């Protein structure tokens, strides 16, 4: 899932995302709550209609941003008080208000409001945080069941209802609320969190609280042990992951969904993923390079422009650098996931693809 | 002609420009000379190949930027010494070196190196400046005739010769060098400049030295009086103009070509041109506006997105704001020029279109 924080994948228009084969986008509730505001999006018919995106959308709960963008947050049983990174104004998210916000935004998949346990944390802290997330999950589930009919598309019957901006979820449907497994880096706690979250009952499960600074081997260990406790017949979503190598690796472990800012954020910094390894397009070595960015890539960037041109755009701080770099990186990620799905369809799993990444870098 | 200063129309990819119907782009010699450098572009086969743009390109002479971006320039009979706006380094443009740069960049149409007379200027200064431009025009013509075979596509026989990046000018062709009429705001001097520039002989003529701070009625007066002295069977190019109203007005006077940063620069500042007048999309009044930017526009922006979404993107400082705003403004300008051409083809001239702009603004 490419990340479209503020209802936009930075620099890329929705028709290009469609051409790239993007099936689902992630929007950040925290950011959208601050700008343009949930009520504004609701009044305009929900996120799909607001951003003219007819395919699927998932919103996170806002929990991760509250924890990662706010030094001064205050967590109580009731919820989290935090300050806006924009103007310092004070706000409060509870499981109930996070649900209310996500129902108002109207994505297809919404996430329970959890506490993302910091890393490192001791055993007592990991358990206490996990228990809080479980109590919050119950409250999310309860609020959602009582308010799930309040999606914006029920009340919105505007003139553009049937056009491109129409949402993929049918008018008579509600959203899917996913639960989130926490438990820090303790595999026993992760097992308990998975089982008790399943006990509450959700149509899909996410593994949260990873990619928070721990070494990669530990991420993998926690994912591998946790996924064993999640039902294979429901979507399993690993949050905030990862590099091309990692998404292949985790798909191979059974992960069905991932999101990460890496392809889009790296693109904005001139870091490009190719079949021959990573390329930092800002380097002077590419200034006279007439070849395509990735000879094995068929995206609209690689089929038209040279490395020399992309390097010039980046070095000259041209906005088109960000646009083209992002299109290529997304194309590379989506191609990777298409290869994973193809491999799975052939019954080979995604493991063989790992070999792709062990090639020597240029 | 949309302006692609650094071999890119800021934020818009070349395939979108093609879809918009852009037939010719303007590149700025001054900027390209500094970054990535003429030799770099020449080695990569010239501008068309470098930026993967198969349609026409015009480069200016660098003269206008030297005058407008350099407070510390020093003009002598030989040429102009100026400092880079990037790093303060010292550079020198003469008629000969400006020709050399433009031949190396390899656009289809290149411009004589002129002195853009400042406004206001007294009679003596206007004549002295005009005489200098005429002497420089002779030197440009001479250098061009002696070096016109040195275009980059003669020596470049790379593997991508026949692909999208191929230039529209055939391998056995040379560039077209246009002369520039100066003479300040004095219509008698303009007449003399036109006649003596025609005496030197060029395949096209530009009117330079306007849009330099003078009132619009004066611009129009000078254009109208100057164009009467330019041959109708050769392209007549008015440099650095203008608003949608102005391009209709000047086309009606007989101007064939115009360039202006207005549609692209205004777009980056949220100023959008529509059939109902100008819109400043940053205004809060549009935050809940579900309508398209311009109900009469069929561009990819107006057919998909609402004003509310465009306002949100601009207010949130999203890069997509710049991308979409630029696409719309270019579409509006190109539609305007298509309407002008259609009107001319019908034998009605462009005058009727002026009525479009006299409507009350919303």
């Amino acid at each position: 899932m490419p990340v479209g924080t503020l209802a936009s994948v930075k620099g890329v228009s929705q028709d290009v995302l469609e051409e790239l084969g993007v099936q689902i986008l992630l929007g950040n509730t925290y950011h959208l709550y601050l700008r343009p505001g949930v009520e504004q999006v609701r009044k305009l018919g929900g996120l799909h209609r607001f951003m003219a995106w007819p395919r699927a959308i998932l919103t996170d709960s806002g929990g991760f941003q509250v924890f990662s963008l706010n030094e001064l947050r205050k967590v109580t049983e009731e919820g989290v008080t935090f300050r806006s990174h924009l103007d310092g104004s004070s706000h409060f998210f509870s499981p109930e208000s996070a649900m209310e916000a996500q129902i108002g935004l109207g994505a297809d998949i919404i996430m329970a409001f959890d506490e993302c346990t910091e890393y490192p944390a001791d055993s007592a802290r990991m358990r206490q945080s996990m228990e809080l997330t479980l109590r919050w999950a119950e409250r999310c589930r309860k609020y959602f069941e009582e308010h799930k009919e309040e999606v914006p598309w029920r009340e919105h019957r505007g003139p553009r209802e049937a056009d491109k901006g129409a949402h993929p979820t049918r008018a008579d449907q509600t959203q899917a609320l996913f639960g989130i497994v926490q438990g820090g880096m303790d595999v026993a706690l992760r097992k308990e969190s998975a089982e008790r979250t399943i006990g509450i009952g959700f149509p899909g499960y996410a593994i949260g609280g990873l990619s928070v600074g721990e070494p990669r081997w530990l991420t993998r260990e926690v994912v591998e042990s946790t996924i064993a406790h999640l039902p294979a017949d429901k979507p399993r979503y690993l949050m905030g992951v990862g590099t091309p190598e990692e998404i292949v690796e985790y798909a191979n472990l059974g992960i069905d969904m991932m999101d990460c800012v890496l392809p889009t954020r790296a693109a904005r910094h001139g870091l490009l993923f190719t079949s021959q390894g990573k390329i930092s397009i800002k380097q002077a070595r590419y200034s006279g390079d007439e070849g395509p960015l990735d000879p094995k890539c068929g995206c609209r960037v690689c089929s038209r422009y040279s490395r020399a041109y992309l390097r010039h755009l980046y070095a000259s701080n041209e906005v088109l650098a960000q646009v083209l770099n992002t299109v290529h990186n997304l194309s590379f990620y989506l191609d990777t996931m298409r290869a994973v799905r193809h491999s799975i369809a052939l019954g080979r799993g995604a493991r063989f693809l790992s070999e792709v990444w062990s090639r020597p870098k240029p």
Side-chain angles (χ1 to χ4, degrees), chain A residues 33-160:
Chain A
Y33 161 87
L34 294 176
R35 276 192 310 202
V38 172
E39 258 319 288
Q40 191 66 262
V41 175
R42 166 191 281 285
K43 271 192 268 175
L44 293 164
L47 268 182
H48 291 92
R49 204 177 144 84
F50 176 60
M51 66 181 290
W53 177 250
R55 301 185 185 179
I57 303 176
L58 178 150
T59 47
D60 62 10
S61 68
F64 184 76
Q65 274 73 29
V66 165
F67 288 92
S68 62
L69 296 178
N70 286 274
E71 298 279 314
L72 299 170
R73 67 182 178 273
K74 184 164 170 269
V75 184
T76 66
E77 182 65 30
E78 188 49 30
V80 187
T81 305
F82 62 96
R83 291 193 177 277
S84 160
H85 71 289
L86 296 174
D87 61 7
S89 56
S90 184
H91 299 268
F92 178 72
F93 269 178
S94 66
E96 291 77 15
S97 70
M99 284 299 97
E100 185 185 16
Q102 288 187 82
I103 292 169
L105 293 173
D108 306 275
I109 301 174
I110 65 177
M111 303 302 299
F113 188 68
D114 60 333
E115 185 184 55
C116 181
T117 315
E118 67 283 0
Y119 174 84
D122 64 27
S123 289
R125 166 67 189 140
M126 285 191 284
R127 167 159 293 279
Q128 175 256 322
S129 177
M130 180 198 79
E131 296 283 357
L132 182 66
T133 286
L134 282 165
R135 289 191 298 276
W136 284 1
E138 296 251 27
R139 286 165 57 186
C140 285
R141 176 76 205 277
K142 180 167 185 290
Y143 186 94
F144 178 72
E145 289 303 327
E146 291 167 0
H147 298 269
K148 64 186 178 187
E149 308 294 330
E150 296 165 11
V151 285
W153 57 79
R154 299 276 167 125
E155 53 198 63
H156 198 95
R157 289 287 177 274
R160 303 174 108 202

Side-chain angles (χ1 to χ4, degrees), chain A residues 59-359:
Chain A
T59 47
D60 62 10
S61 68
F64 184 76
Q65 274 73 29
V66 165
F67 288 92
S68 62
L69 296 178
N70 286 274
E71 298 279 314
L72 299 170
R73 67 182 178 273
K74 184 164 170 269
V75 184
T76 66
E77 182 65 30
E78 188 49 30
V80 187
T81 305
F82 62 96
R83 291 193 177 277
S84 160
H85 71 289
L86 296 174
D87 61 7
S89 56
S90 184
H91 299 268
F92 178 72
F93 269 178
S94 66
E96 291 77 15
S97 70
M99 284 299 97
E100 185 185 16
Q102 288 187 82
I103 292 169
L105 293 173
D108 306 275
I109 301 174
I110 65 177
M111 303 302 299
F113 188 68
D114 60 333
E115 185 184 55
C116 181
T117 315
E118 67 283 0
Y119 174 84
D122 64 27
S123 289
R125 166 67 189 140
M126 285 191 284
R127 167 159 293 279
Q128 175 256 322
S129 177
M130 180 198 79
E131 296 283 357
L132 182 66
T133 286
L134 282 165
R135 289 191 298 276
W136 284 1
E138 296 251 27
R139 286 165 57 186
C140 285
R141 176 76 205 277
K142 180 167 185 290
Y143 186 94
F144 178 72
E145 289 303 327
E146 291 167 0
H147 298 269
K148 64 186 178 187
E149 308 294 330
E150 296 165 11
V151 285
W153 57 79
R154 299 276 167 125
E155 53 198 63
H156 198 95
R157 289 287 177 274
R160 303 174 108 202
E161 190 67 16
D163 70 7
K164 279 181 175 169
H167 47 77
T169 300
R170 293 199 317 272
D172 60 345
Q173 287 182 319
T174 55
Q175 299 166 294
L177 169 62
F178 282 18
I180 303 180
V181 176
Q182 290 285 350
M185 304 301 157
D186 182 322
V187 295
L189 280 183
R190 285 278 172 177
K191 177 171 185 287
E192 183 178 340
S193 175
E195 289 170 352
R196 290 170 61 186
T197 307
I198 293 165
I200 300 169
F202 295 98
Y205 297 94
I207 304 175
L210 295 177
S211 289
V212 289
E214 78 282 7
R216 189 181 151 183
W217 64 264
L218 186 53
T219 318
R220 191 195 147 97
E221 188 177 291
V222 174
V223 172
E224 193 160 12
S225 74
T226 306
I227 204 169
H229 307 293
L230 293 175
D233 61 349
K234 291 200 161 63
R236 295 177 292 199
Y237 163 28
L238 178 56
M239 305 181 86
V241 165
T243 65
E245 296 89 331
E246 286 165 355
I247 66 175
V248 171
E249 186 177 345
Y250 294 126
N252 197 49
L253 292 177
I255 294 295
D256 302 298
M257 301 167 65
M258 287 167 270
D259 75 281
C260 195
V261 293
L262 188 57
T264 44
R265 184 175 290 165
R268 296 198 295 278
H269 293 99
L271 195 69
L272 300 167
F273 298 97
T274 80
S275 62
Q276 301 173 323
K278 277 182 286 192
I279 281 180
S280 175
I281 200 65
K282 68 182 76 172
Q283 294 175 359
R285 60 194 286 204
Y286 300 118
S287 64
D289 190 336
E290 291 199 78
L293 183 53
D294 184 350
K296 296 200 175 173
C297 177
C299 82
R300 58 165 69 201
V301 178
C302 291
S303 61
R304 181 157 195 161
Y305 305 102
S306 65
R307 290 175 171 183
Y309 183 62
L310 296 174
R311 196 268 171 183
H312 160 69
L313 292 178
Y314 191 87
S316 303
N317 209 21
E318 283 288 308
V319 170
L320 191 57
Q322 169 172 345
V323 173
L324 298 182
N325 291 348
T326 303
V327 168
H328 169 77
N329 271 0
L330 284 179
S331 178
F332 188 80
Y333 265 68
L334 293 161
D335 277 350
T336 299
M337 288 309 293
R338 272 188 284 267
V340 165
R341 283 193 287 272
H342 185 63
S343 176
I344 289 170
L346 293 175
R348 291 192 288 167
R351 196 172 303 274
F352 90 100
L353 281 164
S354 300
E355 296 162 19
V356 173
W357 311 115
S358 58
R359 283 188 209 162

